[in-house]
Amino acid sequence: MYDRLKGFRDFYPEEMAPRREVIDTLESTAARYGFREISTPALERTEMYVDKSGEEIVEELYAFEDKGGREVSLTPELTPTVARMVVAKQQELSKPIKWVSTRPFWRFEQVQQGRFREFYQTNVDIFGSSEPTADAEILAFAADALTDLGLTGDDFEFRVSHRDILSGLLDAFDADVDAAAAIRAVDKRAKVEETEYLGLLSDAGLAYDQADQFDDLVARGDLDEIAEFGGADVADAVENLRNVLAAAEDFGAREYCDVSLTTARGLDYYTGVVFECFDSTGEVSRSVFGGGRYDDLIESFGGQPTPAVGVAPGLAPLSLLCQRAGVWPEEALTTDYYVLTVGETREVASRIARDLRASGNVVEVDVSDRSFGAQMGYADSVNAETVVIVGEQDLANDEVTVKDMASGDQTTVPVETFPGDRDAPTYDDVA
């Protein structure tokens, strides 16, 4: 016996069915907004991540030398990959570029609730628009996807912030501040003790009293006060945040948005509005997913300046929210028909199965030469709603038997008229 690797998961059919339903919902919601599906490789050059995040990132990667002597890594996220793709065909692509994909990613990190070493995300991105409406459309997509899954405004909230407000406030202090380090500290604010958090701000360059004042401004979140304190650049960022929220109001997503300047998103490439989705009840203690604007990334990959904004719902934390709210799809197999054979009836049974499948039904037939009882037991195990019994005795009378599995009721019908012109005939239709 071989044990499964820690942080990697198997999904049996009963578990995979609800995951597929959730993925389909996310992708169909994105499609309604005009996002087009892309597919991306599992491997990228390690230097792509090192150049953006430093050598220390390698400790979090599944990085190795391939047989061609190249240093490569299993992709830990999609944003650098799609940035590379945009740069490769930037002149050919119509703007705005709107892409969606669902695929696995890999990070070597501590396994915990809702976080694994192999994880699945649906990434939704817009390239080529700096307008607040692009940010708002990402928020609206995310809200619609969650409500399409059956969640309501009582179940989740988007905590919306702006990276330029945070960096502008830091610049307003008379101190030599490492803004990126300070913003990473803000991102950890809810996860560490106050003294440790203020210490991180101090390590980033703020004096202790400045760190306390900065945190007080951010925690209160009074946008007018912040704009006055921070000066022109912060006032511009505040206006941009308000414009995004106004557009989100028009798009029907404002009710899910709370201004929360302590929401920072830890990745350094974010440049403008950022947000995270949380369980409103707090039972799911971690962020469900997040997103934001990253206007400088395409240029840093060698492309033309191209604004960008996106979001990436992860399947694992999203499942925690849906399960807590009671809207995670049922983990059960579903089968519309089981066509049961008795004796030498395969030809007729196969014709019936083909006709039913042609109408879009899920249909199984016996492929193991089992007894009547074993076939009925299997039909029950796959939750077949209707069993069509094709037996030699019935066929001698030009009939087949249609059995409703829930009630146990059954009746015979002419074989030539089943299923006939009906897409999904049940016992009630033919009794």
Side-chain angles (χ1 to χ4, degrees):
M1 290 291 294
Y2 297 100
D3 294 331
R4 185 183 63 202
L5 291 172
K6 182 178 181 181
F8 293 74
R9 294 171 293 165
D10 301 313
F11 299 104
Y12 289 87
E14 294 86 349
E15 301 164 298
M16 194 62 211
R19 287 175 59 83
R20 169 50 55 196
E21 187 173 333
V22 169
I23 291 170
D24 288 348
T25 298
L26 294 174
E27 291 179 341
S28 64
T29 304
R32 295 203 306 270
Y33 279 82
F35 290 93
R36 315 298 178 176
E37 186 176 17
I38 60 169
S39 180
T40 58
L43 285 180
E44 293 280 9
R45 296 180 185 274
T46 301
E47 64 183 324
M48 188 166 76
Y49 306 108
V50 171
D51 286 349
K52 302 308 162 198
S53 303
E55 288 287 347
E56 62 275 9
I57 191 66
V58 177
E59 296 300 315
E60 300 177 18
L61 303 178
Y62 280 89
F64 56 94
E65 182 180 300
D66 73 3
K67 293 183 179 181
R70 294 171 291 261
E71 295 296 327
V72 298
S73 295
L74 290 170
T75 50
E77 59 170 317
L78 191 68
T79 306
T81 293
V82 292
R84 174 183 60 73
M85 290 174 65
V86 169
V87 171
K89 291 193 173 185
Q90 191 161 23
Q91 301 306 316
E92 304 171 38
L93 297 168
S94 297
K95 312 298 189 300
I97 305 161
K98 298 172 67 173
W99 286 346
V100 58
S101 72
T102 302
R103 48 154 295 184
F105 299 92
W106 300 268
R107 282 184 182 270
F108 189 82
E109 58 184 358
Q110 185 63 40
V111 178
Q112 53 186 283
Q113 184 189 46
R115 178 172 292 176
F116 299 89
R117 290 174 177 170
E118 181 181 58
F119 55 97
Y120 290 74
Q121 289 182 174
T122 296
N123 290 264
V124 177
D125 296 278
I126 301 175
F127 303 92
S129 174
S130 60
E131 291 299 313
T133 48
D135 305 68
E137 183 164 285
I138 290 293
L139 288 165
F141 153 76
D144 280 355
L146 295 183
T147 56
D148 286 350
L149 288 169
L151 296 162
T152 72
D154 293 332
D155 295 318
F156 68 92
E157 62 183 6
F158 296 154
R159 300 180 187 174
V160 186
S161 182
H162 200 295
R163 290 287 289 259
D164 288 347
I165 292 177
L166 296 174
S167 60
L169 283 177
L170 291 165
D171 289 342
F173 288 94
D174 183 20
D176 183 15
V177 181
D178 182 342
I183 290 173
R184 285 195 294 272
V186 174
D187 188 53
K188 297 177 181 179
R189 184 179 186 273
K191 306 168 190 174
V192 299
E193 297 294 329
E194 182 181 6
T195 53
E196 181 180 351
Y197 166 60
L198 293 175
L200 291 171
L201 290 176
S202 178
D203 292 343
L206 289 174
Y208 192 86
D209 61 329
Q210 291 174 325
D212 193 51
Q213 184 181 9
F214 169 76
D215 181 59
D216 188 50
L217 282 167
V218 169
R220 283 206 307 274
D222 185 324
L223 294 180
D224 290 331
E225 178 187 17
I226 285 170
E228 182 178 354
F229 182 90
D233 288 344
V234 173
D236 288 344
V238 167
E239 181 181 9
N240 177 249
L241 175 58
R242 284 175 164 156
N243 288 337
V244 168
L245 293 174
E249 176 77 37
D250 293 337
F251 291 175
R254 179 64 179 89
E255 64 179 292
Y256 308 108
C257 300
D258 293 325
V259 174
S260 172
L261 298 183
T262 58
T263 297
R265 304 288 287 153
L267 295 172
D268 290 344
Y269 55 66
Y270 284 113
T271 58
V273 167
V274 292
F275 75 98
E276 290 187 331
C277 173
F278 281 88
D279 176 3
S280 296
T281 71
E283 290 185 39
V284 179
S285 58
R286 57 165 296 180
S287 168
V288 179
F289 61 82
R293 181 164 283 281
Y294 51 100
D295 285 348
D296 298 336
L297 191 62
I298 303 299
E299 187 175 6
S300 74
F301 273 64
Q304 297 298 314
T306 305
V309 61
V311 64
L315 267 290
L318 182 56
S319 71
L320 295 177
L321 174 60
C322 290
Q323 288 165 4
R324 194 279 304 158
V327 298
W328 184 249
E330 183 179 359
E331 294 189 357
L333 301 178
T334 58
T335 306
D336 298 318
Y337 295 91
Y338 184 85
V339 181
L340 186 152
T341 58
V342 182
E344 298 300 319
T345 62
R346 186 180 67 188
E347 181 179 352
V348 174
S350 297
R351 190 274 299 168
I352 292 173
R354 290 198 309 272
D355 289 349
L356 290 168
R357 287 173 181 149
S359 296
N361 298 295
V362 177
V363 184
E364 291 203 50
V365 298
D366 180 40
V367 295
S368 301
D369 194 25
R370 291 174 292 191
S371 67
F372 180 93
Q375 290 185 66
M376 286 297 294
Y378 178 80
D380 188 55
S381 74
V382 296
N383 295 319
E385 296 180 12
T386 301
V387 170
V388 182
I389 302 170
V390 186
E392 290 178 325
Q393 292 184 1
D394 279 348
L395 286 185
N397 297 320
D398 294 325
E399 295 177 332
V400 294
T401 297
V402 177
K403 181 182 181 70
D404 181 81
M405 291 295 283
S407 66
D409 295 335
Q410 64 183 53
T411 188
T412 57
V413 300
V415 64
E416 292 301 323
T417 63
F418 191 87
D421 58 1
R422 294 162 297 195
D423 290 338
T426 64
Y427 168 82
D428 290 336
D429 295 321
V430 299

